[in-house]
Amino acid sequence: MNSKVKRPFITGITGGSASGKTLFLEKMLAKLPKDKVCLISQDNYYKPRDQQPKDGRGIHNFDRPDSIDFQAFANDLQLLSEGKTITRQEYTFNNPNKNPKMLTFTPTAVIVVEGIFVFYHPDLMKHFDLKVFIEAKEHVMLKRRILRDKMERGYDLDDVLYRFEHHVMPAYDQHIMPLKAKADIIIPNNYSFDRALDVLLTYLKEKV
């Protein structure tokens, strides 16, 4: 990277599945200059379905760290931090009604990296200037997961409940929640995150 080019400020945002990261990010990005912020999501780094781990019943488990192509994720983040543009095919969660798009990520003053396992891998963590953990109670996450997976991914209720009990919560307990201690900011998101969002926005606006 050219020594005269200022390194981007990189923020990592994590939390359990259905903790409310997506809505938080939508509201945050809506209040920041679009040309100054780049969002890169772990969702687009899932390995192909035939490489996904399976549980004891032979059901694909997407809630494990080894379901993510961390090498590609870390390589792309490194390139962005060096001021280089990257492209990545959108991951559609095996939804047959969605055609994946080619996504382009352009380095900006602030780069936001989000996903349930972004604190897990050291090659991602080493880039983060700010680490944010969004948390919610288990019953709140379950309700949100049911609504999301039915509407966006076409899963039936039995499937959602099975995955939540056998995949989502074990992953949260083992690989996500223990890393909360590494966060600079912890945001409770059971009812509202508006005040916490205002605090974070004040800080990030200084960086853009």
Side-chain angles (χ1 to χ4, degrees), residues 95-144:
N95 187 335
N97 298 317
K98 291 188 69 175
N99 292 318
K101 300 176 291 186
M102 288 304 298
L103 306 173
T104 299
F105 301 95
T106 303
T108 50
V110 171
I111 294 174
V112 178
V113 182
E114 74 86 18
I116 60 175
F117 295 127
V118 300
F119 282 15
Y120 179 83
H121 202 282
D123 286 346
L124 296 177
M125 281 285 280
K126 70 181 183 182
H127 290 285
F128 298 157
D129 301 296
L130 180 69
K131 298 177 288 295
V132 179
F133 190 101
I134 299 176
E135 64 177 356
K137 294 179 180 178
E138 182 175 336
H139 73 274
V140 175
M141 291 194 292
L142 175 57
K143 179 180 178 180
R144 291 171 180 163

Side-chain angles (χ1 to χ4, degrees), residues 26-182:
E26 287 176 354
K27 290 197 172 186
M28 184 183 80
L29 295 174
K31 295 185 178 182
L32 291 171
K34 291 183 179 180
D35 62 335
K36 300 294 185 180
V37 182
C38 171
L39 171 66
I40 182 167
S41 173
Q42 172 196 289
D43 285 352
N44 293 308
Y45 291 88
Y46 278 99
K47 295 175 183 176
R49 187 178 181 85
D50 60 0
Q51 296 179 29
Q52 290 294 335
K54 295 182 179 180
D55 65 16
R57 289 178 52 181
I59 296 174
H60 287 99
N61 184 353
F62 298 93
D63 289 277
R64 288 172 52 98
D66 53 349
S67 68
I68 307 299
D69 186 347
F70 279 112
Q71 181 175 357
F73 199 176
N75 287 345
D76 281 355
L77 184 54
Q78 177 66 41
L79 291 172
L80 278 173
S81 73
E82 295 172 355
K84 299 173 182 175
T85 298
I86 61 169
T87 57
R88 182 82 182 171
Q89 182 172 292
E90 177 188 24
Y91 187 76
T92 60
F93 295 93
N94 308 297
N95 187 335
N97 298 317
K98 291 188 69 175
N99 292 318
K101 300 176 291 186
M102 288 304 298
L103 306 173
T104 299
F105 301 95
T106 303
T108 50
V110 171
I111 294 174
V112 178
V113 182
E114 74 86 18
I116 60 175
F117 295 127
V118 300
F119 282 15
Y120 179 83
H121 202 282
D123 286 346
L124 296 177
M125 281 285 280
K126 70 181 183 182
H127 290 285
F128 298 157
D129 301 296
L130 180 69
K131 298 177 288 295
V132 179
F133 190 101
I134 299 176
E135 64 177 356
K137 294 179 180 178
E138 182 175 336
H139 73 274
V140 175
M141 291 194 292
L142 175 57
K143 179 180 178 180
R144 291 171 180 163
R145 177 96 179 196
I146 290 171
L147 293 173
R148 184 197 70 187
D149 284 2
K150 180 179 180 181
M151 296 296 295
E152 297 180 14
R153 302 177 187 177
Y155 297 159
D156 63 33
L157 180 59
D158 288 341
D159 192 17
V160 175
L161 293 176
Y162 176 85
R163 291 177 185 274
F164 192 83
E165 178 182 356
H166 297 282
H167 298 175
V168 174
M169 287 312 299
Y172 182 76
D173 292 338
Q174 295 171 29
H175 305 300
I176 302 170
M177 189 272 288
L179 298 174
K180 183 171 77 170
K182 295 183 179 293

Side-chain angles (χ1 to χ4, degrees), residues 191-203:
Y191 307 105
S192 172
F193 50 63
D194 291 345
R195 291 183 181 177
L197 177 60
D198 287 343
V199 171
L200 184 58
L201 280 168
T202 298
Y203 184 75

